[in-house]
């Protein structure tokens, strides 16, 4: 098998023989560039990375021997080494000759260290590509010289722009298969320039390469152009990557921001705030502001494991001590006093959905941005972006790999900056509260104006005053169960008995509410979530008025019942599970709904073709198989009394 020689650009620095300690010190302090390779399927991304690993001598002898054996078994290059096999590690990738997962590889030259992410080209793996690109400073977009600019090239270029990667390399690969034709390269360059202008990529570097043959991957020792492309006078790929300005340099020029990760309190005499500087520079004596509280102070000292610093810049992990005792904890951001970031509980963002289960508008998700963790609800998307045509499409939700723009509301203000200005304070992830799975990645665009202009109006008569006047403790009695379980019947009986006890009550019934307040909602999963959110808000207002509120709704999802619980003070939400087996509920079928659902005439019916998530720890459970409605009502009242 033919083994190519390593290029001269990866030769070891002569300093290693003269002063080993100086060489090791220089190696330790090399800058690090993170970049991704992306493009259409079979454009040669894995082959290029394999070539880089081989040329940089990052492959041990046993790995090389295994690569030669694998090339003979799985390779696509005849008797030559198939460099793609160094990166395509999954069995499925080798069998199909494609990249599926994100593969990270490290290599180094004498000037710089590199971490490269090989991202998949298939549309169904968009989430993998976004994951790889989220920390990248540079993107190498590969184009097969035989095929030119394809839809997947456009899609990945759009994602690169969306994710804020400022440095783009257009690597026209497989030039050896078109005879190193200059006109082919120039036509591809013209086509890509036109598209790049449309999506806002104003500057990029185009390089004709052959990942397999090694043309224009590294610079020649004599500095002359590659003999196969004498018409190209630009830099080789590695030469260009060695000189790309990393994001850390740009972020050092911005205003100071440091999300607080940990409050360091080893003893009574020391209180420091530890974190990674997201942008800017800080020195002792600088005036700073704690966001979102707005408290101000000055930096007393900058502490590190190696001692105090006179200055710290973006990318460094430090501990700051302040001159004043101010309230500051994990999730807060210490920022320049005269230029603080925004704090808001409502904003617009671009969302990349990464989960098999579609977005559920109105449902509460964990939102993690920097060191902050809050509950966020997502409104129905304004539109979904077709990443192939860039069209804005109407959408009620977002499915796997979909990208859209939506508005968010959080349960408390978060500190952020637009993603275009600061990736660390503008990028976030959404986490499903029940599965703890990361379901989406987002990029904040701007704060909503209404978040600044709409304020809570204080009133003098409090909810305690309303409750005291009625001589009772407000409650929300939340009846949940399958259709036909007896929720409405039992809730009505409970209200009758409470009324006879001179209690102030109101019953919100699922069917009745859909005649007015929720008449615009259907029975899709998203509409069911919005149905419960609205009812929860109404029930909260009624509880604020001092009432005992009874609600009879299927409310099939635990997340929404938990959402309503959190709207109310501790102990005021009473979940009552009307536990009736589906066969019993279906046998009753007073409204004939089960029959319609079984016949396919009624879609999204709970228990038939839509799930019901039974309560795991309800405050009260009643079994209507063994109890009459009157008995169930008396049992419930015994549990909730005495009511003040």
């Amino acid at each position: 098998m033919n083994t190519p020689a390593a290029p001269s650009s990866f030769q070891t620095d002569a300093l290693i023989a003269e002063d080993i300690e100086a060489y090791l010190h220089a190696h330790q302090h090399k800058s690090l560039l993170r970049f991704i390779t992306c493009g259409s399927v079979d454009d040669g991304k894995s082959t290029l990375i394999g070539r880089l690993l081989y040329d940089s001598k990052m492959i041990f002898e046993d790995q090389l021997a295994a690569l030669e054996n694998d090339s003979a078994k799985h390779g696509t290059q005849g008797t030559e080494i198939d460099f793609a096999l160094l990166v395509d590690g999954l069995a499925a990738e080798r069998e199909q000759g494609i990249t599926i997962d994100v593969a990270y590889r490290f290599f180094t030259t004498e000037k710089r260290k590199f971490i490269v992410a090989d991202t998949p080209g298939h549309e169904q793996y968009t989430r993998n590509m976004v994951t790889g690109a989220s920390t990248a400073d540079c993107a190498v977009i590969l184009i097969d010289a035989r095929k030119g600019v394809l839809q997947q090239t456009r899609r990945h270029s759009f994602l690169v722009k969306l994710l804020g990667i400022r440095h783009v390399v257009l690597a026209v690969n497989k030039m050896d298969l078109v005879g190193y034709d200059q006109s082919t390269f120039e036509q591809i360059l013209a086509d890509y320039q036109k598209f790049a202008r449309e999506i806002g990529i104003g500057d990029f570097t185009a390089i004709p390469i052959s990942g397999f043959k090694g043309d224009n991957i590294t610079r020649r020792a004599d500095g002359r152009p590659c003999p196969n492309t004498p018409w190209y006078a630009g830099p080789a790929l590695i030469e260009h990557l060695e000189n790309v300005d990393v994001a850390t340099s740009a972020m050092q020029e911005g205003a100071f921001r440091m999300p607080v990760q940990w409050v360091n309190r080893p003893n009574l005499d020391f209180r420091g705030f530890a974190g990674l500087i997201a942008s800017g520079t800080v020195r002792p004596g600088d005036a700073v502001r704690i966001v979102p509280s707005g408290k101000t102070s000055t930096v007393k000292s900058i502490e590190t494991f190696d001692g105090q610093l006179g200055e710290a810049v973006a990318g460094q992990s430090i501990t700051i001590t302040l001159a004043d005792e101010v309230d500051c904890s994990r999730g807060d951001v210490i920022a320049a006093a005269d230029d603080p970031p925004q704090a808001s509980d409502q904003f617009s963002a671009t969302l990349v959905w990464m989960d098999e289960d579609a977005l559920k508008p109105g449902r509460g998700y964990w939102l993690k941005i920097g060191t902050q963790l809050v509950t966020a609800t997502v409104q129905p998307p304004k539109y979904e972006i077709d990443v192939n045509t860039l069209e804005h499409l109407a959408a009620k939700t977002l499915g796997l790999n979909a990208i859209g723009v939506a508005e968010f509301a959080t349960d408390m203000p978060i500190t952020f900056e637009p993603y275009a200005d600061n990736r660390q304070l503008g990028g976030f992830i959404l986490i499903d509260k029940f599965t703890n799975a990361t379901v989406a990645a987002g990029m904040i665009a701007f704060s909503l104006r209404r978040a600044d202009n709409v304020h809570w109006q204080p009133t003098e008569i409090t909810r305690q005053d309303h409750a005291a006047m009625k001589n009772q403790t407000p409650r929300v009695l939340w009846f949940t169960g399958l259709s036909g379980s007896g929720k409405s019947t039992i809730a009505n009986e409970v209200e009758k008995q409470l009324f006879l006890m001179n209690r102030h009550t109101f019953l919100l019934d699922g069917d009745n509410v859909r005649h007015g307040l929720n008449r615009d909602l259907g029975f899709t999963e998203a509409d069911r979530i919005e149905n419960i959110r609205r009812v929860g808000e109404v029930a909260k207002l009624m509880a604020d008025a001092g009432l005992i509120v009874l609600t009879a709704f299927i409310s099939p999802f635990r997340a929404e019942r938990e959402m309503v619980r959190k709207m109310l003070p501790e102990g005021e939400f009473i979940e009552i599970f009307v536990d009736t087996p589906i066969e019993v509920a279906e046998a009753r079928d007073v409204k004939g709904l089960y029959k319609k659902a079984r016949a396919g005439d009624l879609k999204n019916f709970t228990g038939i073709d839509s799930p019901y998530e039974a309560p795991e720890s309800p405050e009260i459970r009643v079994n209507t198989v063994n109890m009459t409605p009157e008995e169930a009502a008396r049992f419930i009242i015994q549990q909730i009394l005495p009511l003040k």
Side-chain angles (χ1 to χ4, degrees), residues 501-551:
M501 299 168 66
N502 293 321
R503 304 299 180 184
H504 299 261
T505 65
F506 196 88
L507 172 59
L508 293 169
D509 181 78
D511 285 350
N512 294 348
V513 168
R514 283 186 176 273
H515 282 288
L517 176 66
N518 293 344
R519 67 187 304 171
D520 60 317
L521 300 178
F523 291 90
T524 64
E525 199 164 341
D527 282 351
R528 287 176 183 272
I529 292 170
E530 176 60 14
N531 181 50
I532 297 306
R533 188 196 69 80
R534 293 184 191 179
V535 170
E537 293 287 357
V538 172
K540 177 183 180 297
L541 292 174
M542 290 184 167
D544 287 346
L547 296 177
I548 300 169
V549 187
L550 302 89
T551 70

Side-chain angles (χ1 to χ4, degrees), residues 551-564:
T551 70
F553 293 82
I554 295 175
S555 47
F557 304 121
R558 296 189 191 102
E560 280 59 65
R561 299 194 296 267
E562 187 64 23
M563 173 184 67
V564 178

Side-chain angles (χ1 to χ4, degrees), residues 178-197:
V178 295
Y180 300 98
D181 181 55
Q182 181 179 1
S183 62
T184 299
F185 173 75
E186 291 177 346
Q187 182 59 54
I188 292 173
L189 177 58
D191 292 342
Y192 188 81
Q193 280 178 328
K194 180 181 178 182
F195 173 73
R197 285 194 295 268

Side-chain angles (χ1 to χ4, degrees), residues 264-328:
N264 185 0
R265 194 74 185 268
N267 54 60
L268 295 175
D269 300 320
F270 184 88
R271 185 167 181 254
F273 307 98
L276 175 71
I277 301 178
S279 65
T281 302
V282 64
R283 303 174 184 84
D286 284 356
V288 294
R289 185 181 303 273
I290 313 301
V291 186
S293 70
K295 301 292 184 181
T296 58
S297 183
T298 57
V299 177
K300 181 179 179 182
S301 66
I302 302 173
E303 309 286 342
T304 70
F305 180 79
D306 297 319
Q308 293 188 357
L309 298 179
E311 178 182 272
V313 298
Q316 287 185 279
S317 293
I318 60 171
T319 296
I320 287 178
T321 64
L322 300 177
D324 306 290
E325 289 290 334
V326 296
D327 184 14
C328 181

